[in-house]
Amino acid sequence: MPVRNVAIEEERTDDGEVRLVIPLRAPRWAWPLSRLLYVPKTRRLVLDEIGSYVWSLCNGERSVREIIQALSQRYKLHRKEAEVSVVAYLRQLARRGLIGIAVRRTDATRDPQKR
Amino acid sequence: MKGQQEWSRLAWHGIAFDVPDDWCPGSVEGDYANGYLRVEDEASVRMELRWETPRRGAPSAPDLVDSYLKQTRRKLPRGAPEPRVDRGRAIQELAGLDHEAFTWRGGFHAHSVLLVAPGGARVVHARVFFEEGNEEKALARRIFGSLRVGPYDGLEEWSVFGLSFRTPQDWRLERSSLRTGCLQLVFQAGGDQLEVARQSLAEFTLRKSSLAQWLEGFFIKALRTYRLSSEPAEYRGHPAARCTGVQSLRARPLAALRRRRHATALAWHCPQADKLFALRCDSTAPDDPRVAACAATIVCH
């Protein structure tokens, strides 16, 4: 289940799109430099309408399959079309550290010795 | 098999059949003469289809099954148990066509049908895979019963990811692109070209441009050497745009020596399906009627 990175703040633009405010951590070597020059502490990333919708579904409660279903229903997409685009998009978000993937606890994962 | 299962049509290079709604193409290869299509559901490969054109007339379906079984047995690993094969079955709906249905239970389990198209033009082999203990005979029978190998009435059937249409049989698929949200199939007949496309998220797309602008932009690569004129139109009660043009002598000076080529394009927005459908034809005929003929076969909603 995709879950949003709690360190990231989100804002809504006038168009209803999501703007992510991503904190930046400057490397140690850049500290002295940051006293002299302006080094931004955050980076902003605006998601388009569809990206914003997928982002809103990444709440740690919906599985990837549920997100695919929701997207295909809302935008009248074929299941495979939605699947390919959602998986690629989530992979991109995960690679940038904007989301993580939570694994739902089952009896087997709770107590592996009982297997 | 689930009783209330929904079905959809899948057709590629004139070979058409019904599949459960949640099955869709996972891989396509080859051309009209020889090719391969793999169909998957959410979890696994459910079906494979191979077609080929025999070089010297097609043998009978039972002979082809003999040869297939011989080859498949040869590929079995040493010491593997002898596969169980039930042969000699016929599919009621394919009566009158040279075919044989059989079941293979070995390294994999599959219901198969081998069909020789009328006139022996193409041989089609369809396999529906199943897990041991869950044979899904009725499902396989329904798929095989719906199998049709074109052309029918001089038209070839195409249906993929819900985009269904027919083309005259002399049009051959030149290239295809089945990208997420955008399907494009380009056909060639002699020097003429026909392109059929469908784009999803129509409302989203049309927020940024008009339909006519989108149409010209969508086919910009193919239409850049034409002097175009676009006009809004209506098609099947949907908002549409029509675009016609003649090859520009400034862009292609040598075109003056030959018969001038014309471009005809049509696009419409189906709000029910939230899709944009577009067709383009490049030929020597102005306002080529084949665009309208092909568009009429597209099922938009």
Side-chain angles (χ1 to χ4, degrees), chain A residues 48-50 65 75-85, chain B residues 22 24 40 42 161 180-181 198 200-201 204 207 271-272 275:
Chain A
D48 68 3
E49 184 194 311
I50 301 161
R65 187 170 289 181
Y75 292 101
K76 294 173 186 163
L77 289 171
H78 191 277
R79 196 254 312 155
K80 188 81 175 177
E81 284 182 314
E83 184 186 300
V84 172
S85 50
Chain B
D22 59 333
C24 50
E40 301 167 347
E42 279 184 53
F161 295 117
T180 306
R198 191 195 72 189
S200 302
L201 305 170
F204 185 70
R207 266 184 230 158
Q272 288 93 332
K275 303 262 189 290

Side-chain angles (χ1 to χ4, degrees), chain B residues 24-294:
Chain B
C24 50
S27 167
V28 281
E29 286 169 24
D31 52 20
Y32 180 84
N34 303 288
Y36 166 81
L37 170 68
R38 193 175 69 216
V39 184
E40 301 167 347
D41 68 0
E42 279 184 53
S44 60
V45 177
R46 300 304 306 267
M47 185 181 170
E48 277 184 341
L49 187 83
R50 281 181 200 281
W51 63 94
E52 55 185 53
T53 305
R55 282 186 194 158
R56 296 184 218 113
S60 69
D63 289 347
L64 288 163
V65 174
D66 280 343
S67 134
Y68 165 76
L69 293 176
K70 211 167 153 185
Q71 278 179 21
T72 314
R73 280 201 172 93
R74 213 178 286 154
K75 285 179 195 163
L76 285 173
R78 270 190 194 176
E82 179 64 13
R84 284 183 294 133
V85 181
D86 297 331
R87 283 193 60 177
R89 292 182 188 168
I91 306 289
Q92 202 182 342
E93 291 85 350
L94 301 180
L97 294 172
D98 184 12
H99 75 281
E100 183 179 336
F102 59 97
T103 303
W104 170 283
R105 292 180 190 84
F108 61 90
H109 306 308
H111 297 295
S112 294
V113 69
L114 225 146
L115 171 76
V116 180
R122 285 191 290 177
V123 171
V124 176
H125 181 192
R127 294 195 293 180
V128 174
F129 299 102
F130 63 87
E131 285 170 14
E132 204 164 13
N134 183 21
E135 294 216 356
E136 299 191 300
K137 278 183 194 166
L139 180 108
R141 208 176 296 133
R142 162 94 196 250
I143 294 169
F144 295 157
S146 67
L147 189 62
R148 298 286 176 272
V149 183
Y152 279 92
D153 302 327
L155 296 171
E156 299 283 14
E157 193 177 346
W158 294 87
S159 182
V160 62
F161 295 117
L163 172 64
S164 302
F165 60 96
R166 284 163 201 271
T167 55
Q169 69 179 94
D170 56 329
W171 290 101
R172 289 280 177 262
L173 185 71
E174 176 76 8
R175 59 180 189 274
S176 63
S177 158
L178 308 177
R179 284 178 294 135
T180 306
C182 185
L183 310 177
Q184 278 176 283
L185 291 97
V186 181
F187 300 88
Q188 192 94 31
D192 298 347
Q193 207 174 56
L194 174 74
E195 183 165 354
V196 181
R198 191 195 72 189
Q199 180 156 319
S200 302
L201 305 170
E203 277 177 34
F204 185 70
T205 307
L206 293 178
R207 266 184 230 158
K208 296 167 198 158
S209 61
S210 71
L211 190 53
Q213 285 170 332
W214 175 81
L215 176 62
E216 283 188 34
F218 189 77
F219 290 132
I220 194 160
K221 211 171 165 186
L223 298 177
R224 68 183 162 198
T225 59
Y226 289 84
R227 272 190 291 117
L228 296 169
S229 61
S230 313
E231 56 182 31
E234 198 183 84
Y235 190 75
R236 295 191 204 165
H238 296 317
R242 203 177 291 276
C243 182
T244 50
V246 65
Q247 203 162 36
S248 155
L249 289 178
R250 195 181 293 167
R252 289 275 165 93
L254 291 177
L257 305 173
R258 294 177 306 185
R259 227 173 131 190
R260 297 279 286 278
R261 298 197 70 80
H262 295 263
T264 311
L266 167 72
W268 72 93
H269 170 211
C270 175
Q272 288 93 332
D274 195 23
K275 303 262 189 290
L276 292 166
F277 293 87
L279 291 100
R280 173 189 65 83
C281 187
D282 173 353
S283 68
T284 49
D287 205 1
D288 201 312
R290 290 177 292 186
V291 171
C294 182

